[in-house]
Amino acid sequence: MRTRQALIRAASEEFDLYGYDGTSLARISSAAGMSIGAVTFHFPTKVHLADTVQEEGLSVTLAALERLSAEMMTPLRMVIDLTLELTRLMEQEPSVRAAIRLGRERPGTEAWSDAWLPTVRGLLDRAYESGQLRTDALPADVTTLVEHLTSGAEAYLRRRMGSDPAFESAVAQLKRVWHLALVGVSAEGPAVPRQTGSSESPAQTG
Amino acid sequence: MRTRQALIRAASEEFDLYGYDGTSLARISSAAGMSIGAVTFHFPTKVHLADTVQEEGLSVTLAALERLSAEMMTPLRMVIDLTLELTRLMEQEPSVRAAIRLGRERPGTEAWSDAWLPTVRGLLDRAYESGQLRTDALPADVTTLVEHLTSGAEAYLRRRMGSDPAFESAVAQLKRVWHLALVGVSAEGPAVPRQTGSSESPAQTG
């Protein structure tokens, strides 16, 4: 089992950095310091390894979701903490980064966000019903905002990785951004966004 | 020149979809319906083509920036319109999408956001000074928010591309998200974010 775990770890790092097409069993065996034979004993093909890495990344993600949902807090607070925890996982878990990338690059496999976005939507519905959200901050729109922020955290992380390690962590950065998203950036209040909204999004003016 | 333009267009589409490593001159020549000889006459190597595609994507981006800066509007309004215009370019211009992707995948070449993020920061400084931003919405933080939203728009676009064309446009989606970012999602006002902020970001409480 140790060999298998070491292989999954090495494969996660390779898939994360080079993507599905850029990764080969030869490359993984060399990164893990094993023979090709040892690799194919556990994982006959790259498809098997990629599937396993995606499952690993998703199960790490779902475990974090479960840990959080056991805590006592308001739904909006939980959404915020969930995105911060997801960002921490992105930062620290190669299998999570690999699962995100592989989910994008392998059509037909599960997108990473499918594992947690329905939970976020459910929490935001509850936050709305309990009056935690502004009446014009509809749960569907706030879910879209959460998707944008999480994608933004990943993009920042990928830009930063490999460069200066003294850069601000993606988690700290997301906290700053959440602060703004909660209270808004505009000094003028609700009057400004009406100009921003367009006929394409009538829900905003409701 | 027509051949050259057709080649840049075909190369943009290939680099956008398959990245730098996944693209070959053979693939581009076949996509453009030209012989390899015709391709190498204009662009001796893949490096030349990638450089040209990145330049093209950046110059399209800078032209949009110039068009916008000629208009009369407040700095905050201009930041919003700029991100919407950048998202429209991402949606419609293969050279822009390719420049974004190549800037990420080719270390040492210009990152796409370097072309416009300093302009955004300058506009936000002006927006802050003129009282358009909340006093605790510091220009550096709002710039980070803008980066996250733009990355989010790109990620959405890439997930959506190739799937159902009836999906909401990334521009319409970003408009909904900006509405929330301007006024905030929380019904409770400025009290909530204090919980969100941490010792890592003391600037928020200022």
Side-chain angles (χ1 to χ4, degrees), chain A residues 100-173:
Chain A
I100 297 174
R101 182 160 185 177
L102 289 173
R104 256 197 310 260
E105 295 181 358
R106 301 177 74 210
T109 65
E110 194 178 356
W112 179 66
S113 57
D114 289 350
W116 54 268
L117 213 47
T119 303
V120 165
R121 176 56 196 266
L123 288 165
L124 290 170
D125 282 338
R126 281 172 48 207
Y128 192 80
E129 284 154 22
S130 65
Q132 278 199 287
L133 299 180
R134 291 170 54 95
T135 48
D136 60 347
L138 301 176
D141 292 347
V142 183
T143 304
T144 303
L145 170 71
V146 166
E147 260 190 289
H148 275 63
L149 296 187
T150 317
S151 300
E154 189 209 347
Y156 170 72
L157 205 65
R158 294 202 179 274
R159 269 198 306 278
R160 195 188 57 128
M161 274 183 337
S163 62
D164 187 354
F167 262 67
E168 185 184 22
S169 90
V171 175
Q173 198 169 61

Side-chain angles (χ1 to χ4, degrees), chain A residues 46-121:
Chain A
K46 186 162 82 166
V47 170
H48 288 87
L49 250 174
D51 284 348
T52 307
V53 164
Q54 274 179 271
E55 280 162 25
E56 171 78 12
L58 287 175
S59 95
V60 167
T61 304
L62 292 173
L65 236 68
E66 256 180 52
R67 270 198 313 278
L68 264 175
S69 64
E71 290 184 33
M72 289 295 295
M73 50 177 110
T74 64
L76 180 55
R77 175 87 256 152
M78 199 172 285
V79 167
I80 295 166
D81 282 8
L82 180 56
T83 60
L84 294 174
E85 176 63 12
L86 291 173
T87 303
R88 194 191 62 76
L89 288 179
M90 281 190 225
E91 218 152 27
Q92 297 180 357
E93 293 287 341
S95 68
V96 170
R97 286 198 302 276
I100 297 174
R101 182 160 185 177
L102 289 173
R104 256 197 310 260
E105 295 181 358
R106 301 177 74 210
T109 65
E110 194 178 356
W112 179 66
S113 57
D114 289 350
W116 54 268
L117 213 47
T119 303
V120 165
R121 176 56 196 266

